[in-house]
Amino acid sequence: MTATSLEAPAAKRFEPKNLLRTRELGIVLALALLIAYTAIDNPRFLSGQSIRDNLLNTAILAVMATGQAIVVITRNIDLSVGSVLGISAFTVATMMSTNPGLPMIVALLAGLAVGAVAGLVNGVLVRFGKVPALVVTLGTLYIYRGITYSWAGGSQVNADELPRHFLTFANDNLLGIPWLVLIALVVVGAGSLMMRNYRVGRELYAMGSSPAAAELAGIKVARNLLGAFVLSGALAGLAGVLYAARFGTVDAAAGTGMELNVVAAVVVGGVAVFGGSGSVWGAALGALLLTVIGSALAVLDINQFWQQAIVGALIILAICADRLVAVRIARSLRKRDAHV
């Protein structure tokens, strides 16, 4: 038997990463079809302003989805990100309104710090409190939101109270690309690079695949889990700054319900809800798809109820695909063992 004949079966072997790429390609195709159909119905959908608005809205969601994807890969979830965005946005908006001379970098660092503290609280409760992440972050969702409402006391920070350099940040650009989009690209790119090319990324995937086996392999599960939650919180805090700069007016309700969109973007983007697989780029594509769906339905004058129904259907399809992947992997492993 020749070497070529021995290698042939291996070439047909099922690889999960190939299916993952297929899912990401499916999102791109769905985006292309949706954009083409909407543009045919209303050519203004491809106007410069429309594209810009979609990218700016996607940027905030993609930043949050990056952190959420990393947490979900570890077989956890962070439902507090919407409230973290809210408390970060209100904190930074209040700080900038009372100290208008502060540079933008200080606002960004403040948002990151607020979010990181919130994420650290989540991580400590999950790891050392031995409480499921779903329960912990559902609780902190209400706690962080309650703190923001108590602090705001029914007031809001209006755009005319914020310094000009803060408000123009959302519309400023570098080489024609808005700063918000550039920040999102850097965050998504850095997250993807970390998960693909660095040891910590491989350890996070291992934790999601089998937490017990990861412990036995000597992986520092506690440290990595805390790091994942801190990162998710920090990026939600960063998104809060971008939110405040983009919309100007900030009140205690900022970011309400965004955690559901973030989770939907991650799941639709191919990150397995059972942990251990998925990619940051897939989550970002999911964020773009959900943003475009919302924009397209408005342009096509379709009831916004259908947006929620479509997102729900996409989540169910994504979960079914995850189960299909798990079944295919198990079957492939059984066949491989049978030939040993």
Side-chain angles (χ1 to χ4, degrees), residues 125-162:
L125 291 174
V126 171
R127 176 59 185 175
F128 300 107
K130 304 297 182 181
V131 183
L134 178 67
V135 177
V136 167
T137 57
L138 183 61
T140 55
L141 178 156
Y142 289 106
I143 291 172
Y144 298 151
R145 184 65 64 186
I147 292 173
T148 309
Y149 271 108
S150 177
W151 179 13
S155 65
Q156 65 180 25
V157 179
N158 297 311
D160 58 5
E161 302 174 46
L162 294 170

PDB file of all heavy atoms in Angstrom, residues 125-162:
ATOM      1  N   LEU A 125     -16.962  35.441  42.607  1.00  0.00           N
ATOM      2  CA  LEU A 125     -18.173  34.755  43.067  1.00  0.00           C
ATOM      3  C   LEU A 125     -18.352  33.409  42.367  1.00  0.00           C
ATOM      4  O   LEU A 125     -18.755  32.423  42.988  1.00  0.00           O
ATOM      5  CB  LEU A 125     -19.399  35.639  42.831  1.00  0.00           C
ATOM      6  CG  LEU A 125     -19.499  36.893  43.715  1.00  0.00           C
ATOM      7  CD1 LEU A 125     -20.680  37.752  43.288  1.00  0.00           C
ATOM      8  CD2 LEU A 125     -19.626  36.499  45.183  1.00  0.00           C
ATOM      9  N   VAL A 126     -18.038  33.375  41.078  1.00  0.00           N
ATOM     10  CA  VAL A 126     -18.197  32.121  40.324  1.00  0.00           C
ATOM     11  C   VAL A 126     -17.178  31.089  40.759  1.00  0.00           C
ATOM     12  O   VAL A 126     -17.510  29.931  41.038  1.00  0.00           O
ATOM     13  CB  VAL A 126     -18.079  32.381  38.802  1.00  0.00           C
ATOM     14  CG1 VAL A 126     -18.015  31.056  38.033  1.00  0.00           C
ATOM     15  CG2 VAL A 126     -19.257  33.210  38.308  1.00  0.00           C
ATOM     16  N   ARG A 127     -15.911  31.494  40.855  1.00  0.00           N
ATOM     17  CA  ARG A 127     -14.847  30.537  41.136  1.00  0.00           C
ATOM     18  C   ARG A 127     -14.813  30.105  42.600  1.00  0.00           C
ATOM     19  O   ARG A 127     -14.800  28.916  42.906  1.00  0.00           O
ATOM     20  CB  ARG A 127     -13.493  31.136  40.735  1.00  0.00           C
ATOM     21  CG  ARG A 127     -12.302  30.247  41.074  1.00  0.00           C
ATOM     22  CD  ARG A 127     -12.405  28.890  40.391  1.00  0.00           C
ATOM     23  NE  ARG A 127     -11.334  27.992  40.815  1.00  0.00           N
ATOM     24  CZ  ARG A 127     -11.246  26.725  40.449  1.00  0.00           C
ATOM     25  NH1 ARG A 127     -12.176  26.208  39.661  1.00  0.00           N
ATOM     26  NH2 ARG A 127     -10.248  25.973  40.869  1.00  0.00           N
ATOM     27  N   PHE A 128     -14.803  31.096  43.496  1.00  0.00           N
ATOM     28  CA  PHE A 128     -14.608  30.768  44.905  1.00  0.00           C
ATOM     29  C   PHE A 128     -15.925  30.594  45.658  1.00  0.00           C
ATOM     30  O   PHE A 128     -15.955  29.948  46.705  1.00  0.00           O
ATOM     31  CB  PHE A 128     -13.742  31.843  45.563  1.00  0.00           C
ATOM     32  CG  PHE A 128     -12.393  31.967  44.929  1.00  0.00           C
ATOM     33  CD1 PHE A 128     -12.076  33.054  44.131  1.00  0.00           C
ATOM     34  CD2 PHE A 128     -11.437  30.985  45.111  1.00  0.00           C
ATOM     35  CE1 PHE A 128     -10.833  33.167  43.529  1.00  0.00           C
ATOM     36  CE2 PHE A 128     -10.181  31.084  44.512  1.00  0.00           C
ATOM     37  CZ  PHE A 128      -9.878  32.171  43.718  1.00  0.00           C
ATOM     38  N   GLY A 129     -16.990  31.165  45.115  1.00  0.00           N
ATOM     39  CA  GLY A 129     -18.299  30.947  45.719  1.00  0.00           C
ATOM     40  C   GLY A 129     -18.944  29.663  45.240  1.00  0.00           C
ATOM     41  O   GLY A 129     -19.963  29.235  45.785  1.00  0.00           O
ATOM     42  N   LYS A 130     -18.345  29.053  44.194  1.00  0.00           N
ATOM     43  CA  LYS A 130     -18.851  27.799  43.625  1.00  0.00           C
ATOM     44  C   LYS A 130     -20.316  27.927  43.204  1.00  0.00           C
ATOM     45  O   LYS A 130     -21.103  26.986  43.329  1.00  0.00           O
ATOM     46  CB  LYS A 130     -18.712  26.649  44.636  1.00  0.00           C
ATOM     47  CG  LYS A 130     -17.309  26.430  45.166  1.00  0.00           C
ATOM     48  CD  LYS A 130     -16.340  26.031  44.076  1.00  0.00           C
ATOM     49  CE  LYS A 130     -14.943  25.756  44.650  1.00  0.00           C
ATOM     50  NZ  LYS A 130     -13.967  25.396  43.598  1.00  0.00           N
ATOM     51  N   VAL A 131     -20.661  29.111  42.692  1.00  0.00           N
ATOM     52  CA  VAL A 131     -22.018  29.360  42.217  1.00  0.00           C
ATOM     53  C   VAL A 131     -21.993  29.424  40.691  1.00  0.00           C
ATOM     54  O   VAL A 131     -21.083  30.026  40.117  1.00  0.00           O
ATOM     55  CB  VAL A 131     -22.567  30.690  42.788  1.00  0.00           C
ATOM     56  CG1 VAL A 131     -24.012  30.922  42.341  1.00  0.00           C
ATOM     57  CG2 VAL A 131     -22.466  30.699  44.308  1.00  0.00           C
ATOM     58  N   PRO A 132     -22.958  28.798  40.009  1.00  0.00           N
ATOM     59  CA  PRO A 132     -22.971  28.848  38.541  1.00  0.00           C
ATOM     60  C   PRO A 132     -22.948  30.283  38.016  1.00  0.00           C
ATOM     61  O   PRO A 132     -23.589  31.177  38.583  1.00  0.00           O
ATOM     62  CB  PRO A 132     -24.287  28.141  38.186  1.00  0.00           C
ATOM     63  CG  PRO A 132     -24.559  27.242  39.342  1.00  0.00           C
ATOM     64  CD  PRO A 132     -24.052  27.974  40.546  1.00  0.00           C
ATOM     65  N   ALA A 133     -22.211  30.479  36.932  1.00  0.00           N
ATOM     66  CA  ALA A 133     -22.074  31.819  36.352  1.00  0.00           C
ATOM     67  C   ALA A 133     -23.415  32.411  35.954  1.00  0.00           C
ATOM     68  O   ALA A 133     -23.630  33.627  36.063  1.00  0.00           O
ATOM     69  CB  ALA A 133     -21.146  31.763  35.139  1.00  0.00           C
ATOM     70  N   LEU A 134     -24.340  31.575  35.500  1.00  0.00           N
ATOM     71  CA  LEU A 134     -25.667  32.057  35.112  1.00  0.00           C
ATOM     72  C   LEU A 134     -26.351  32.745  36.284  1.00  0.00           C
ATOM     73  O   LEU A 134     -26.933  33.831  36.145  1.00  0.00           O
ATOM     74  CB  LEU A 134     -26.515  30.896  34.608  1.00  0.00           C
ATOM     75  CG  LEU A 134     -27.963  31.226  34.211  1.00  0.00           C
ATOM     76  CD1 LEU A 134     -27.973  32.112  32.980  1.00  0.00           C
ATOM     77  CD2 LEU A 134     -28.755  29.957  33.967  1.00  0.00           C
ATOM     78  N   VAL A 135     -26.258  32.135  37.468  1.00  0.00           N
ATOM     79  CA  VAL A 135     -26.903  32.685  38.664  1.00  0.00           C
ATOM     80  C   VAL A 135     -26.178  33.937  39.145  1.00  0.00           C
ATOM     81  O   VAL A 135     -26.800  34.964  39.459  1.00  0.00           O
ATOM     82  CB  VAL A 135     -26.953  31.630  39.785  1.00  0.00           C
ATOM     83  CG1 VAL A 135     -27.563  32.217  41.059  1.00  0.00           C
ATOM     84  CG2 VAL A 135     -27.741  30.406  39.334  1.00  0.00           C
ATOM     85  N   VAL A 136     -24.849  33.856  39.219  1.00  0.00           N
ATOM     86  CA  VAL A 136     -24.061  34.983  39.708  1.00  0.00           C
ATOM     87  C   VAL A 136     -24.268  36.224  38.853  1.00  0.00           C
ATOM     88  O   VAL A 136     -24.579  37.313  39.352  1.00  0.00           O
ATOM     89  CB  VAL A 136     -22.563  34.624  39.744  1.00  0.00           C
ATOM     90  CG1 VAL A 136     -21.701  35.884  39.939  1.00  0.00           C
ATOM     91  CG2 VAL A 136     -22.285  33.634  40.861  1.00  0.00           C
ATOM     92  N   THR A 137     -24.102  36.076  37.548  1.00  0.00           N
ATOM     93  CA  THR A 137     -24.166  37.257  36.674  1.00  0.00           C
ATOM     94  C   THR A 137     -25.597  37.764  36.487  1.00  0.00           C
ATOM     95  O   THR A 137     -25.794  38.940  36.192  1.00  0.00           O
ATOM     96  CB  THR A 137     -23.527  36.964  35.302  1.00  0.00           C
ATOM     97  OG1 THR A 137     -24.177  35.849  34.683  1.00  0.00           O
ATOM     98  CG2 THR A 137     -22.050  36.644  35.468  1.00  0.00           C
ATOM     99  N   LEU A 138     -26.583  36.900  36.663  1.00  0.00           N
ATOM    100  CA  LEU A 138     -27.968  37.375  36.672  1.00  0.00           C
ATOM    101  C   LEU A 138     -28.190  38.260  37.896  1.00  0.00           C
ATOM    102  O   LEU A 138     -28.855  39.299  37.825  1.00  0.00           O
ATOM    103  CB  LEU A 138     -28.939  36.196  36.689  1.00  0.00           C
ATOM    104  CG  LEU A 138     -30.435  36.547  36.635  1.00  0.00           C
ATOM    105  CD1 LEU A 138     -30.761  37.299  35.345  1.00  0.00           C
ATOM    106  CD2 LEU A 138     -31.291  35.288  36.748  1.00  0.00           C
ATOM    107  N   GLY A 139     -27.599  37.848  39.037  1.00  0.00           N
ATOM    108  CA  GLY A 139     -27.701  38.666  40.240  1.00  0.00           C
ATOM    109  C   GLY A 139     -26.964  39.982  40.113  1.00  0.00           C
ATOM    110  O   GLY A 139     -27.497  41.049  40.459  1.00  0.00           O
ATOM    111  N   THR A 140     -25.720  39.935  39.613  1.00  0.00           N
ATOM    112  CA  THR A 140     -24.953  41.180  39.483  1.00  0.00           C
ATOM    113  C   THR A 140     -25.528  42.091  38.395  1.00  0.00           C
ATOM    114  O   THR A 140     -25.338  43.304  38.454  1.00  0.00           O
ATOM    115  CB  THR A 140     -23.475  40.882  39.192  1.00  0.00           C
ATOM    116  OG1 THR A 140     -23.361  40.037  38.035  1.00  0.00           O
ATOM    117  CG2 THR A 140     -22.806  40.210  40.380  1.00  0.00           C
ATOM    118  N   LEU A 141     -26.230  41.512  37.435  1.00  0.00           N
ATOM    119  CA  LEU A 141     -26.933  42.334  36.441  1.00  0.00           C
ATOM    120  C   LEU A 141     -27.849  43.321  37.159  1.00  0.00           C
ATOM    121  O   LEU A 141     -27.842  44.533  36.860  1.00  0.00           O
ATOM    122  CB  LEU A 141     -27.738  41.438  35.501  1.00  0.00           C
ATOM    123  CG  LEU A 141     -28.590  42.081  34.394  1.00  0.00           C
ATOM    124  CD1 LEU A 141     -28.794  41.069  33.257  1.00  0.00           C
ATOM    125  CD2 LEU A 141     -29.960  42.530  34.878  1.00  0.00           C
ATOM    126  N   TYR A 142     -28.635  42.814  38.122  1.00  0.00           N
ATOM    127  CA  TYR A 142     -29.564  43.683  38.851  1.00  0.00           C
ATOM    128  C   TYR A 142     -28.836  44.559  39.868  1.00  0.00           C
ATOM    129  O   TYR A 142     -29.237  45.708  40.094  1.00  0.00           O
ATOM    130  CB  TYR A 142     -30.622  42.823  39.545  1.00  0.00           C
ATOM    131  CG  TYR A 142     -31.605  42.199  38.585  1.00  0.00           C
ATOM    132  CD1 TYR A 142     -31.551  40.848  38.274  1.00  0.00           C
ATOM    133  CD2 TYR A 142     -32.587  42.980  37.966  1.00  0.00           C
ATOM    134  CE1 TYR A 142     -32.443  40.274  37.381  1.00  0.00           C
ATOM    135  CE2 TYR A 142     -33.490  42.414  37.077  1.00  0.00           C
ATOM    136  CZ  TYR A 142     -33.411  41.054  36.782  1.00  0.00           C
ATOM    137  OH  TYR A 142     -34.293  40.508  35.889  1.00  0.00           O
ATOM    138  N   ILE A 143     -27.771  44.029  40.469  1.00  0.00           N
ATOM    139  CA  ILE A 143     -27.026  44.826  41.446  1.00  0.00           C
ATOM    140  C   ILE A 143     -26.380  46.034  40.782  1.00  0.00           C
ATOM    141  O   ILE A 143     -26.517  47.177  41.255  1.00  0.00           O
ATOM    142  CB  ILE A 143     -25.952  43.964  42.137  1.00  0.00           C
ATOM    143  CG1 ILE A 143     -26.616  42.915  43.034  1.00  0.00           C
ATOM    144  CG2 ILE A 143     -25.003  44.840  42.963  1.00  0.00           C
ATOM    145  CD1 ILE A 143     -25.652  41.900  43.603  1.00  0.00           C
ATOM    146  N   TYR A 144     -25.663  45.814  39.678  1.00  0.00           N
ATOM    147  CA  TYR A 144     -24.995  46.928  38.995  1.00  0.00           C
ATOM    148  C   TYR A 144     -26.017  47.923  38.447  1.00  0.00           C
ATOM    149  O   TYR A 144     -25.795  49.135  38.500  1.00  0.00           O
ATOM    150  CB  TYR A 144     -24.117  46.399  37.851  1.00  0.00           C
ATOM    151  CG  TYR A 144     -22.999  45.491  38.300  1.00  0.00           C
ATOM    152  CD1 TYR A 144     -22.499  44.486  37.453  1.00  0.00           C
ATOM    153  CD2 TYR A 144     -22.431  45.617  39.554  1.00  0.00           C
ATOM    154  CE1 TYR A 144     -21.472  43.647  37.860  1.00  0.00           C
ATOM    155  CE2 TYR A 144     -21.400  44.774  39.967  1.00  0.00           C
ATOM    156  CZ  TYR A 144     -20.938  43.788  39.116  1.00  0.00           C
ATOM    157  OH  TYR A 144     -19.932  42.963  39.526  1.00  0.00           O
ATOM    158  N   ARG A 145     -27.126  47.412  37.945  1.00  0.00           N
ATOM    159  CA  ARG A 145     -28.163  48.320  37.434  1.00  0.00           C
ATOM    160  C   ARG A 145     -28.773  49.119  38.584  1.00  0.00           C
ATOM    161  O   ARG A 145     -29.052  50.314  38.453  1.00  0.00           O
ATOM    162  CB  ARG A 145     -29.243  47.518  36.704  1.00  0.00           C
ATOM    163  CG  ARG A 145     -30.323  48.370  36.050  1.00  0.00           C
ATOM    164  CD  ARG A 145     -29.793  49.234  34.947  1.00  0.00           C
ATOM    165  NE  ARG A 145     -29.274  48.445  33.848  1.00  0.00           N
ATOM    166  CZ  ARG A 145     -28.638  48.951  32.796  1.00  0.00           C
ATOM    167  NH1 ARG A 145     -28.416  50.256  32.723  1.00  0.00           N
ATOM    168  NH2 ARG A 145     -28.184  48.167  31.838  1.00  0.00           N
ATOM    169  N   GLY A 146     -28.984  48.455  39.722  1.00  0.00           N
ATOM    170  CA  GLY A 146     -29.543  49.149  40.886  1.00  0.00           C
ATOM    171  C   GLY A 146     -28.616  50.238  41.393  1.00  0.00           C
ATOM    172  O   GLY A 146     -29.068  51.326  41.786  1.00  0.00           O
ATOM    173  N   ILE A 147     -27.304  49.963  41.401  1.00  0.00           N
ATOM    174  CA  ILE A 147     -26.335  50.976  41.817  1.00  0.00           C
ATOM    175  C   ILE A 147     -26.411  52.194  40.900  1.00  0.00           C
ATOM    176  O   ILE A 147     -26.387  53.352  41.357  1.00  0.00           O
ATOM    177  CB  ILE A 147     -24.909  50.381  41.807  1.00  0.00           C
ATOM    178  CG1 ILE A 147     -24.754  49.329  42.912  1.00  0.00           C
ATOM    179  CG2 ILE A 147     -23.863  51.489  41.971  1.00  0.00           C
ATOM    180  CD1 ILE A 147     -23.445  48.574  42.856  1.00  0.00           C
ATOM    181  N   THR A 148     -26.523  51.945  39.609  1.00  0.00           N
ATOM    182  CA  THR A 148     -26.587  53.044  38.646  1.00  0.00           C
ATOM    183  C   THR A 148     -27.851  53.879  38.845  1.00  0.00           C
ATOM    184  O   THR A 148     -27.801  55.119  38.836  1.00  0.00           O
ATOM    185  CB  THR A 148     -26.548  52.503  37.205  1.00  0.00           C
ATOM    186  OG1 THR A 148     -25.449  51.603  37.049  1.00  0.00           O
ATOM    187  CG2 THR A 148     -26.397  53.646  36.203  1.00  0.00           C
ATOM    188  N   TYR A 149     -28.993  53.210  39.043  1.00  0.00           N
ATOM    189  CA  TYR A 149     -30.249  53.940  39.266  1.00  0.00           C
ATOM    190  C   TYR A 149     -30.185  54.737  40.565  1.00  0.00           C
ATOM    191  O   TYR A 149     -30.656  55.886  40.628  1.00  0.00           O
ATOM    192  CB  TYR A 149     -31.421  52.964  39.311  1.00  0.00           C
ATOM    193  CG  TYR A 149     -32.043  52.692  37.960  1.00  0.00           C
ATOM    194  CD1 TYR A 149     -31.863  51.477  37.316  1.00  0.00           C
ATOM    195  CD2 TYR A 149     -32.829  53.670  37.321  1.00  0.00           C
ATOM    196  CE1 TYR A 149     -32.416  51.223  36.071  1.00  0.00           C
ATOM    197  CE2 TYR A 149     -33.392  53.432  36.087  1.00  0.00           C
ATOM    198  CZ  TYR A 149     -33.192  52.201  35.464  1.00  0.00           C
ATOM    199  OH  TYR A 149     -33.748  51.968  34.227  1.00  0.00           O
ATOM    200  N   SER A 150     -29.601  54.141  41.604  1.00  0.00           N
ATOM    201  CA  SER A 150     -29.498  54.837  42.882  1.00  0.00           C
ATOM    202  C   SER A 150     -28.607  56.066  42.769  1.00  0.00           C
ATOM    203  O   SER A 150     -28.902  57.128  43.332  1.00  0.00           O
ATOM    204  CB  SER A 150     -28.932  53.870  43.934  1.00  0.00           C
ATOM    205  OG  SER A 150     -28.755  54.514  45.171  1.00  0.00           O
ATOM    206  N   TRP A 151     -27.506  55.912  42.041  1.00  0.00           N
ATOM    207  CA  TRP A 151     -26.571  57.028  41.855  1.00  0.00           C
ATOM    208  C   TRP A 151     -27.211  58.124  40.997  1.00  0.00           C
ATOM    209  O   TRP A 151     -27.140  59.312  41.339  1.00  0.00           O
ATOM    210  CB  TRP A 151     -25.307  56.491  41.219  1.00  0.00           C
ATOM    211  CG  TRP A 151     -24.245  57.515  40.930  1.00  0.00           C
ATOM    212  CD1 TRP A 151     -24.183  58.798  41.388  1.00  0.00           C
ATOM    213  CD2 TRP A 151     -23.077  57.315  40.135  1.00  0.00           C
ATOM    214  NE1 TRP A 151     -23.051  59.431  40.930  1.00  0.00           N
ATOM    215  CE2 TRP A 151     -22.356  58.545  40.155  1.00  0.00           C
ATOM    216  CE3 TRP A 151     -22.566  56.245  39.415  1.00  0.00           C
ATOM    217  CZ2 TRP A 151     -21.155  58.701  39.477  1.00  0.00           C
ATOM    218  CZ3 TRP A 151     -21.364  56.400  38.751  1.00  0.00           C
ATOM    219  CH2 TRP A 151     -20.661  57.616  38.769  1.00  0.00           C
ATOM    220  N   ALA A 152     -27.843  57.736  39.905  1.00  0.00           N
ATOM    221  CA  ALA A 152     -28.417  58.728  38.986  1.00  0.00           C
ATOM    222  C   ALA A 152     -29.588  59.463  39.630  1.00  0.00           C
ATOM    223  O   ALA A 152     -29.779  60.671  39.391  1.00  0.00           O
ATOM    224  CB  ALA A 152     -28.858  58.044  37.701  1.00  0.00           C
ATOM    225  N   GLY A 153     -30.374  58.740  40.425  1.00  0.00           N
ATOM    226  CA  GLY A 153     -31.516  59.378  41.077  1.00  0.00           C
ATOM    227  C   GLY A 153     -32.510  60.003  40.113  1.00  0.00           C
ATOM    228  O   GLY A 153     -33.110  61.041  40.402  1.00  0.00           O
ATOM    229  N   GLY A 154     -32.666  59.399  38.949  1.00  0.00           N
ATOM    230  CA  GLY A 154     -33.613  59.925  37.969  1.00  0.00           C
ATOM    231  C   GLY A 154     -33.035  60.988  37.056  1.00  0.00           C
ATOM    232  O   GLY A 154     -33.711  61.440  36.128  1.00  0.00           O
ATOM    233  N   SER A 155     -31.779  61.374  37.280  1.00  0.00           N
ATOM    234  CA  SER A 155     -31.156  62.392  36.429  1.00  0.00           C
ATOM    235  C   SER A 155     -30.448  61.729  35.254  1.00  0.00           C
ATOM    236  O   SER A 155     -30.317  60.505  35.183  1.00  0.00           O
ATOM    237  CB  SER A 155     -30.163  63.225  37.241  1.00  0.00           C
ATOM    238  OG  SER A 155     -29.089  62.411  37.680  1.00  0.00           O
ATOM    239  N   GLN A 156     -29.966  62.549  34.324  1.00  0.00           N
ATOM    240  CA  GLN A 156     -29.199  62.061  33.191  1.00  0.00           C
ATOM    241  C   GLN A 156     -28.142  63.075  32.814  1.00  0.00           C
ATOM    242  O   GLN A 156     -28.228  64.251  33.183  1.00  0.00           O
ATOM    243  CB  GLN A 156     -30.110  61.771  31.991  1.00  0.00           C
ATOM    244  CG  GLN A 156     -30.793  63.001  31.423  1.00  0.00           C
ATOM    245  CD  GLN A 156     -31.690  62.669  30.240  1.00  0.00           C
ATOM    246  OE1 GLN A 156     -32.177  61.557  30.111  1.00  0.00           O
ATOM    247  NE2 GLN A 156     -31.922  63.648  29.377  1.00  0.00           N
ATOM    248  N   VAL A 157     -27.131  62.608  32.098  1.00  0.00           N
ATOM    249  CA  VAL A 157     -26.094  63.499  31.589  1.00  0.00           C
ATOM    250  C   VAL A 157     -26.425  63.797  30.139  1.00  0.00           C
ATOM    251  O   VAL A 157     -26.511  62.883  29.311  1.00  0.00           O
ATOM    252  CB  VAL A 157     -24.696  62.846  31.689  1.00  0.00           C
ATOM    253  CG1 VAL A 157     -23.636  63.792  31.139  1.00  0.00           C
ATOM    254  CG2 VAL A 157     -24.381  62.461  33.127  1.00  0.00           C
ATOM    255  N   ASN A 158     -26.644  65.065  29.834  1.00  0.00           N
ATOM    256  CA  ASN A 158     -27.022  65.468  28.480  1.00  0.00           C
ATOM    257  C   ASN A 158     -25.796  65.797  27.637  1.00  0.00           C
ATOM    258  O   ASN A 158     -24.715  66.091  28.163  1.00  0.00           O
ATOM    259  CB  ASN A 158     -27.956  66.682  28.533  1.00  0.00           C
ATOM    260  CG  ASN A 158     -29.259  66.368  29.230  1.00  0.00           C
ATOM    261  OD1 ASN A 158     -29.913  65.365  28.939  1.00  0.00           O
ATOM    262  ND2 ASN A 158     -29.648  67.220  30.179  1.00  0.00           N
ATOM    263  N   ALA A 159     -25.996  65.742  26.339  1.00  0.00           N
ATOM    264  CA  ALA A 159     -24.888  65.971  25.413  1.00  0.00           C
ATOM    265  C   ALA A 159     -24.267  67.353  25.588  1.00  0.00           C
ATOM    266  O   ALA A 159     -23.049  67.518  25.440  1.00  0.00           O
ATOM    267  CB  ALA A 159     -25.364  65.776  23.980  1.00  0.00           C
ATOM    268  N   ASP A 160     -25.109  68.370  25.915  1.00  0.00           N
ATOM    269  CA  ASP A 160     -24.562  69.728  26.041  1.00  0.00           C
ATOM    270  C   ASP A 160     -23.716  69.906  27.307  1.00  0.00           C
ATOM    271  O   ASP A 160     -23.074  70.942  27.489  1.00  0.00           O
ATOM    272  CB  ASP A 160     -25.687  70.762  26.001  1.00  0.00           C
ATOM    273  CG  ASP A 160     -26.727  70.537  27.099  1.00  0.00           C
ATOM    274  OD1 ASP A 160     -26.530  69.641  27.942  1.00  0.00           O
ATOM    275  OD2 ASP A 160     -27.754  71.256  27.107  1.00  0.00           O
ATOM    276  N   GLU A 161     -23.700  68.886  28.182  1.00  0.00           N
ATOM    277  CA  GLU A 161     -22.877  68.951  29.385  1.00  0.00           C
ATOM    278  C   GLU A 161     -21.511  68.302  29.176  1.00  0.00           C
ATOM    279  O   GLU A 161     -20.627  68.411  30.023  1.00  0.00           O
ATOM    280  CB  GLU A 161     -23.587  68.252  30.553  1.00  0.00           C
ATOM    281  CG  GLU A 161     -24.957  68.827  30.897  1.00  0.00           C
ATOM    282  CD  GLU A 161     -25.653  67.994  31.959  1.00  0.00           C
ATOM    283  OE1 GLU A 161     -24.992  67.647  32.962  1.00  0.00           O
ATOM    284  OE2 GLU A 161     -26.836  67.674  31.788  1.00  0.00           O
ATOM    285  N   LEU A 162     -21.343  67.607  28.059  1.00  0.00           N
ATOM    286  CA  LEU A 162     -20.112  66.881  27.795  1.00  0.00           C
ATOM    287  C   LEU A 162     -19.174  67.706  26.919  1.00  0.00           C
ATOM    288  O   LEU A 162     -19.639  68.474  26.058  1.00  0.00           O
ATOM    289  CB  LEU A 162     -20.429  65.552  27.097  1.00  0.00           C
ATOM    290  CG  LEU A 162     -21.208  64.547  27.947  1.00  0.00           C
ATOM    291  CD1 LEU A 162     -21.694  63.377  27.086  1.00  0.00           C
ATOM    292  CD2 LEU A 162     -20.351  64.032  29.093  1.00  0.00           C
TER     293      LEU A 162
END
